[in-house]
Amino acid sequence: MLHKLNFWKNRKPNSSEQVYTIDTIKKNPIPEHIAIIMDGNGRWAQKRALPRIAGHHEGTKVVRKITKLANSLGVKVLTLYAFSTENWKRPKSEVDYLMKLPEEFLQTFLPELIKENVQVRVMGMKDSLPEHTFRAVQNAINKTSDNDGMILNFALNYGSRNEIVQAVNSIIADQKSGILKEEEVTEDIFSTYLMTQELSDPDLLIRTSGVVRLSNFMLWQLSYAEFWFTETLWPDFSEQHFLEAIDEFQKRARRFGGV
Ligand code: IPE
Ligand code: IPE
Ligand code: MG
């Protein structure tokens, strides 16, 4: 076991020197929904003696790259954890920058997303975002709402526990008003009260930067996802890493409790 753990920890990205191509990856089933905890921006910047926000800025370039690749692979939903309900604990200057990032990102890439038929969605506590952040994301949602290609779902001011509690409260309210009968709360009905609503559950979860935890991300929806972790920091995450994660996903046996 110890040996296995060490092997995992010391594993370098692409240590096999294997080069993955879109064509070979496409020969096997592509995960429909991929969720990514984009972590390590701060450490990427620190290593370069740069302010943490430089890492966040660099990270947006990777968002663009991976979105393009996921779209061309035929991924249906790409969910990206951009800001958690716990990230408000960070220094105000960093939070302020993170709240400007959607504008910065969308100003540059929205035309591209429109052209590439991507639908932008946002899940999280949108109401408590600063007005300027809310406006930027809402504009992107509106401008891409006629697209029917890949869903690019940003988890922004998102926390899974908050999401679940909100769902429970909405269910109670709907029961009180008679919209929902008490005995009607099944797993499927419960899912429709979550922020993912009609989205399928993630098939594959990727987390970068060597951190191995969920950090309050999609606790309900990740019940049967395959997890893939890499030591690579998000700003260094490449197309090869993404293809490698999918390649490993394709080799896993998903049993969903069966045999
Ligand atoms: C992920 O990078 C981005 C956000 C959480 C917004 P971090 O900022 O968490 O980077 P590290 O973990 O401090 O390196
Ligand atoms: C999770 O990363 C949130 C995002 C990637 C947006 P954090 O860096 O905030 O997680 P912890 O604090 O290390 O658990
Ligand atoms: Mg982090």
Side-chain angles (χ1 to χ4, degrees), residues 121-157:
R121 305 260 180 102
V122 172
M123 65 170 187
M125 304 234 286
K126 281 190 252 183
D127 294 351
S128 37
L129 290 173
E131 173 70 24
H132 64 95
T133 315
F134 179 81
R135 251 188 287 120
V137 298
Q138 200 53 52
N139 177 50
I141 294 168
N142 296 343
K143 293 234 166 86
T144 59
S145 64
D146 288 335
N147 287 354
D148 59 5
M150 187 180 81
I151 294 171
L152 176 60
N153 182 34
F154 286 104
L156 187 61
N157 196 17

CSV table of all heavy atoms in Angstrom, one decimal, residues 121-157:
chain,number,residue,atom,x,y,z
A,121,ARG,N,-22.7,28.7,-18.8
A,121,ARG,CA,-23.6,28.6,-17.7
A,121,ARG,C,-22.8,29.0,-16.4
A,121,ARG,O,-21.6,28.8,-16.4
A,121,ARG,CB,-24.2,27.2,-17.5
A,121,ARG,CG,-24.9,26.6,-18.7
A,121,ARG,CD,-26.4,26.8,-18.6
A,121,ARG,NE,-27.0,26.2,-19.8
A,121,ARG,CZ,-27.5,25.0,-19.9
A,121,ARG,NH1,-27.6,24.2,-18.8
A,121,ARG,NH2,-28.1,24.5,-21.0
A,122,VAL,N,-23.5,29.4,-15.4
A,122,VAL,CA,-22.9,29.7,-14.1
A,122,VAL,C,-23.7,29.0,-13.0
A,122,VAL,O,-24.9,29.2,-13.0
A,122,VAL,CB,-22.7,31.2,-13.9
A,122,VAL,CG1,-22.2,31.5,-12.5
A,122,VAL,CG2,-21.7,31.8,-14.9
A,123,MET,N,-23.0,28.3,-12.1
A,123,MET,CA,-23.8,27.7,-11.0
A,123,MET,C,-23.1,28.3,-9.7
A,123,MET,O,-21.8,28.3,-9.6
A,123,MET,CB,-23.9,26.2,-11.0
A,123,MET,CG,-22.6,25.5,-10.8
A,123,MET,SD,-22.9,23.7,-10.6
A,123,MET,CE,-21.3,23.1,-10.3
A,124,GLY,N,-23.9,28.7,-8.7
A,124,GLY,CA,-23.4,29.2,-7.5
A,124,GLY,C,-24.3,30.3,-7.0
A,124,GLY,O,-25.4,30.5,-7.6
A,125,MET,N,-23.9,30.9,-5.9
A,125,MET,CA,-24.8,32.0,-5.4
A,125,MET,C,-24.6,33.3,-6.2
A,125,MET,O,-23.8,34.1,-5.8
A,125,MET,CB,-24.4,32.2,-3.9
A,125,MET,CG,-24.5,30.9,-3.1
A,125,MET,SD,-25.5,31.1,-1.7
A,125,MET,CE,-24.4,32.1,-0.7
A,126,LYS,N,-25.3,33.4,-7.3
A,126,LYS,CA,-25.1,34.5,-8.2
A,126,LYS,C,-25.5,35.8,-7.6
A,126,LYS,O,-24.9,36.8,-7.8
A,126,LYS,CB,-25.9,34.2,-9.5
A,126,LYS,CG,-25.2,33.3,-10.4
A,126,LYS,CD,-25.8,33.2,-11.8
A,126,LYS,CE,-26.6,31.9,-11.9
A,126,LYS,NZ,-27.2,31.8,-13.3
A,127,ASP,N,-26.5,35.7,-6.7
A,127,ASP,CA,-27.0,37.0,-6.1
A,127,ASP,C,-26.0,37.7,-5.3
A,127,ASP,O,-26.1,38.9,-5.1
A,127,ASP,CB,-28.3,36.7,-5.2
A,127,ASP,CG,-29.4,36.2,-6.1
A,127,ASP,OD1,-29.3,36.3,-7.3
A,127,ASP,OD2,-30.4,35.7,-5.5
A,128,SER,N,-25.1,37.0,-4.7
A,128,SER,CA,-24.1,37.7,-3.8
A,128,SER,C,-22.8,38.0,-4.5
A,128,SER,O,-21.8,38.3,-3.9
A,128,SER,CB,-23.9,37.0,-2.5
A,128,SER,OG,-24.0,35.6,-2.6
A,129,LEU,N,-22.8,37.9,-5.8
A,129,LEU,CA,-21.6,38.3,-6.6
A,129,LEU,C,-21.7,39.8,-6.7
A,129,LEU,O,-22.8,40.4,-6.7
A,129,LEU,CB,-21.6,37.7,-8.0
A,129,LEU,CG,-21.4,36.2,-8.2
A,129,LEU,CD1,-21.7,35.8,-9.6
A,129,LEU,CD2,-20.0,35.8,-7.7
A,130,PRO,N,-20.5,40.5,-6.8
A,130,PRO,CA,-20.5,41.9,-7.1
A,130,PRO,C,-21.3,42.2,-8.4
A,130,PRO,O,-21.3,41.3,-9.3
A,130,PRO,CB,-19.1,42.3,-7.2
A,130,PRO,CG,-18.3,41.2,-6.6
A,130,PRO,CD,-19.1,40.0,-6.7
A,131,GLU,N,-22.0,43.3,-8.4
A,131,GLU,CA,-22.8,43.7,-9.6
A,131,GLU,C,-22.0,43.5,-10.9
A,131,GLU,O,-22.6,42.9,-11.9
A,131,GLU,CB,-23.3,45.1,-9.4
A,131,GLU,CG,-24.0,45.8,-10.5
A,131,GLU,CD,-25.4,45.2,-10.7
A,131,GLU,OE1,-25.9,44.6,-9.8
A,131,GLU,OE2,-25.9,45.3,-11.9
A,132,HIS,N,-20.8,44.0,-11.0
A,132,HIS,CA,-20.0,43.9,-12.2
A,132,HIS,C,-19.7,42.5,-12.7
A,132,HIS,O,-19.7,42.2,-13.9
A,132,HIS,CB,-18.8,44.8,-12.1
A,132,HIS,CG,-17.8,44.3,-11.1
A,132,HIS,ND1,-16.7,43.5,-11.5
A,132,HIS,CD2,-17.7,44.5,-9.8
A,132,HIS,CE1,-16.0,43.2,-10.3
A,132,HIS,NE2,-16.6,43.8,-9.3
A,133,THR,N,-19.5,41.6,-11.7
A,133,THR,CA,-19.2,40.2,-12.0
A,133,THR,C,-20.5,39.6,-12.5
A,133,THR,O,-20.5,38.9,-13.6
A,133,THR,CB,-18.7,39.5,-10.8
A,133,THR,OG1,-17.8,40.3,-10.1
A,133,THR,CG2,-18.1,38.1,-11.1
A,134,PHE,N,-21.6,39.8,-11.8
A,134,PHE,CA,-22.9,39.3,-12.2
A,134,PHE,C,-23.2,39.7,-13.6
A,134,PHE,O,-23.6,38.9,-14.5
A,134,PHE,CB,-24.0,39.7,-11.2
A,134,PHE,CG,-25.3,39.2,-11.6
A,134,PHE,CD1,-25.7,37.9,-11.2
A,134,PHE,CD2,-26.2,39.9,-12.3
A,134,PHE,CE1,-26.9,37.3,-11.5
A,134,PHE,CE2,-27.5,39.4,-12.6
A,134,PHE,CZ,-27.8,38.1,-12.3
A,135,ARG,N,-23.0,41.0,-13.9
A,135,ARG,CA,-23.4,41.5,-15.3
A,135,ARG,C,-22.6,40.8,-16.3
A,135,ARG,O,-23.1,40.4,-17.4
A,135,ARG,CB,-23.2,43.0,-15.3
A,135,ARG,CG,-24.5,43.8,-15.4
A,135,ARG,CD,-24.3,45.2,-15.7
A,135,ARG,NE,-23.7,45.9,-14.5
A,135,ARG,CZ,-22.6,46.6,-14.5
A,135,ARG,NH1,-21.8,46.7,-15.6
A,135,ARG,NH2,-22.2,47.2,-13.4
A,136,ALA,N,-21.3,40.6,-16.1
A,136,ALA,CA,-20.4,40.0,-17.1
A,136,ALA,C,-20.8,38.6,-17.4
A,136,ALA,O,-20.9,38.1,-18.5
A,136,ALA,CB,-19.0,40.1,-16.6
A,137,VAL,N,-21.1,37.8,-16.3
A,137,VAL,CA,-21.5,36.4,-16.6
A,137,VAL,C,-22.9,36.3,-17.2
A,137,VAL,O,-23.1,35.5,-18.0
A,137,VAL,CB,-21.3,35.5,-15.3
A,137,VAL,CG1,-19.9,35.5,-14.8
A,137,VAL,CG2,-22.2,35.9,-14.2
A,138,GLN,N,-23.8,37.2,-16.7
A,138,GLN,CA,-25.1,37.1,-17.3
A,138,GLN,C,-25.1,37.4,-18.8
A,138,GLN,O,-25.8,36.8,-19.5
A,138,GLN,CB,-26.0,38.1,-16.5
A,138,GLN,CG,-27.5,37.7,-16.6
A,138,GLN,CD,-27.9,36.3,-16.3
A,138,GLN,OE1,-27.5,35.8,-15.2
A,138,GLN,NE2,-28.6,35.6,-17.2
A,139,ASN,N,-24.3,38.4,-19.1
A,139,ASN,CA,-24.2,38.7,-20.5
A,139,ASN,C,-23.7,37.5,-21.4
A,139,ASN,O,-24.2,37.3,-22.4
A,139,ASN,CB,-23.2,39.9,-20.7
A,139,ASN,CG,-22.9,40.3,-22.1
A,139,ASN,OD1,-23.9,40.5,-22.9
A,139,ASN,ND2,-21.7,40.4,-22.5
A,140,ALA,N,-22.7,36.8,-20.8
A,140,ALA,CA,-22.2,35.7,-21.5
A,140,ALA,C,-23.2,34.6,-21.6
A,140,ALA,O,-23.3,33.9,-22.6
A,140,ALA,CB,-20.9,35.1,-20.8
A,141,ILE,N,-24.0,34.4,-20.5
A,141,ILE,CA,-25.0,33.4,-20.5
A,141,ILE,C,-26.1,33.7,-21.6
A,141,ILE,O,-26.4,32.9,-22.5
A,141,ILE,CB,-25.7,33.3,-19.2
A,141,ILE,CG1,-24.7,32.7,-18.1
A,141,ILE,CG2,-27.0,32.4,-19.2
A,141,ILE,CD1,-25.2,32.9,-16.7
A,142,ASN,N,-26.5,35.0,-21.7
A,142,ASN,CA,-27.5,35.4,-22.6
A,142,ASN,C,-27.0,35.3,-24.1
A,142,ASN,O,-27.6,34.8,-24.9
A,142,ASN,CB,-27.9,36.9,-22.4
A,142,ASN,CG,-28.6,37.1,-21.1
A,142,ASN,OD1,-29.0,36.1,-20.5
A,142,ASN,ND2,-28.6,38.3,-20.6
A,143,LYS,N,-25.7,35.8,-24.3
A,143,LYS,CA,-25.2,35.8,-25.7
A,143,LYS,C,-24.9,34.4,-26.2
A,143,LYS,O,-24.7,34.2,-27.4
A,143,LYS,CB,-23.9,36.6,-25.7
A,143,LYS,CG,-24.1,38.1,-25.5
A,143,LYS,CD,-23.5,38.9,-26.6
A,143,LYS,CE,-24.0,40.4,-26.5
A,143,LYS,NZ,-23.2,41.2,-25.6
A,144,THR,N,-24.8,33.4,-25.3
A,144,THR,CA,-24.6,32.0,-25.8
A,144,THR,C,-25.8,31.1,-25.6
A,144,THR,O,-25.7,29.9,-25.8
A,144,THR,CB,-23.3,31.4,-25.1
A,144,THR,OG1,-23.6,31.4,-23.7
A,144,THR,CG2,-22.1,32.2,-25.3
A,145,SER,N,-26.9,31.7,-25.3
A,145,SER,CA,-28.1,30.8,-24.9
A,145,SER,C,-28.6,30.1,-26.1
A,145,SER,O,-29.3,29.1,-26.0
A,145,SER,CB,-29.1,31.6,-24.2
A,145,SER,OG,-29.6,32.6,-25.0
A,146,ASP,N,-28.4,30.7,-27.3
A,146,ASP,CA,-28.9,30.0,-28.5
A,146,ASP,C,-27.9,28.9,-29.0
A,146,ASP,O,-28.3,28.2,-30.0
A,146,ASP,CB,-29.1,31.0,-29.7
A,146,ASP,CG,-30.3,31.9,-29.4
A,146,ASP,OD1,-31.2,31.4,-28.6
A,146,ASP,OD2,-30.4,33.0,-29.9
A,147,ASN,N,-26.8,28.9,-28.5
A,147,ASN,CA,-25.8,27.8,-28.9
A,147,ASN,C,-26.3,26.5,-28.4
A,147,ASN,O,-26.9,26.4,-27.3
A,147,ASN,CB,-24.4,28.1,-28.3
A,147,ASN,CG,-23.7,29.3,-29.0
A,147,ASN,OD1,-24.2,29.8,-30.0
A,147,ASN,ND2,-22.6,29.7,-28.5
A,148,ASP,N,-25.9,25.4,-29.1
A,148,ASP,CA,-26.4,24.1,-28.6
A,148,ASP,C,-25.2,23.1,-28.5
A,148,ASP,O,-25.4,21.9,-28.5
A,148,ASP,CB,-27.5,23.6,-29.4
A,148,ASP,CG,-27.2,23.4,-30.9
A,148,ASP,OD1,-26.0,23.7,-31.2
A,148,ASP,OD2,-28.1,23.1,-31.7
A,149,GLY,N,-24.0,23.7,-28.5
A,149,GLY,CA,-22.8,22.8,-28.3
A,149,GLY,C,-22.5,22.6,-26.9
A,149,GLY,O,-23.3,22.6,-26.0
A,150,MET,N,-21.2,22.4,-26.6
A,150,MET,CA,-20.7,22.1,-25.3
A,150,MET,C,-21.2,23.1,-24.2
A,150,MET,O,-21.2,24.3,-24.5
A,150,MET,CB,-19.2,22.0,-25.2
A,150,MET,CG,-18.7,21.5,-23.9
A,150,MET,SD,-16.9,21.3,-23.8
A,150,MET,CE,-16.4,23.0,-23.5
A,151,ILE,N,-21.6,22.7,-23.1
A,151,ILE,CA,-21.9,23.6,-22.0
A,151,ILE,C,-20.7,23.8,-21.2
A,151,ILE,O,-20.0,22.9,-20.7
A,151,ILE,CB,-23.0,22.9,-21.1
A,151,ILE,CG1,-24.4,22.8,-21.8
A,151,ILE,CG2,-23.2,23.8,-19.8
A,151,ILE,CD1,-25.5,22.0,-21.1
A,152,LEU,N,-20.3,25.1,-21.0
A,152,LEU,CA,-19.2,25.5,-20.2
A,152,LEU,C,-19.8,26.1,-18.9
A,152,LEU,O,-20.3,27.2,-18.9
A,152,LEU,CB,-18.3,26.5,-21.0
A,152,LEU,CG,-17.1,27.1,-20.2
A,152,LEU,CD1,-16.2,26.0,-19.8
A,152,LEU,CD2,-16.4,28.2,-21.0
A,153,ASN,N,-19.7,25.3,-17.9
A,153,ASN,CA,-20.4,25.6,-16.7
A,153,ASN,C,-19.4,26.0,-15.6
A,153,ASN,O,-18.6,25.2,-15.1
A,153,ASN,CB,-21.2,24.3,-16.2
A,153,ASN,CG,-22.0,24.4,-15.0
A,153,ASN,OD1,-22.6,25.5,-14.7
A,153,ASN,ND2,-22.0,23.4,-14.2
A,154,PHE,N,-19.5,27.3,-15.3
A,154,PHE,CA,-18.5,27.8,-14.3
A,154,PHE,C,-19.2,27.7,-12.9
A,154,PHE,O,-20.3,28.2,-12.7
A,154,PHE,CB,-18.2,29.3,-14.5
A,154,PHE,CG,-17.3,29.5,-15.7
A,154,PHE,CD1,-17.8,30.0,-16.9
A,154,PHE,CD2,-15.9,29.3,-15.6
A,154,PHE,CE1,-16.9,30.2,-18.0
A,154,PHE,CE2,-15.1,29.5,-16.6
A,154,PHE,CZ,-15.6,29.9,-17.8
A,155,ALA,N,-18.5,27.1,-12.0
A,155,ALA,CA,-18.9,27.1,-10.6
A,155,ALA,C,-18.3,28.3,-9.9
A,155,ALA,O,-17.1,28.4,-9.7
A,155,ALA,CB,-18.4,25.8,-9.9
A,156,LEU,N,-19.1,29.3,-9.7
A,156,LEU,CA,-18.7,30.6,-9.3
A,156,LEU,C,-19.4,31.0,-8.0
A,156,LEU,O,-20.7,31.1,-8.0
A,156,LEU,CB,-18.9,31.6,-10.4
A,156,LEU,CG,-18.4,33.0,-10.3
A,156,LEU,CD1,-16.8,33.1,-10.1
A,156,LEU,CD2,-18.8,33.9,-11.5
A,157,ASN,N,-18.7,31.3,-6.9
A,157,ASN,CA,-19.3,31.4,-5.6
A,157,ASN,C,-20.2,30.2,-5.3
A,157,ASN,O,-21.4,30.3,-4.9
A,157,ASN,CB,-20.2,32.7,-5.5
A,157,ASN,CG,-20.5,33.0,-4.1
A,157,ASN,OD1,-19.9,32.5,-3.2
A,157,ASN,ND2,-21.5,33.9,-3.9
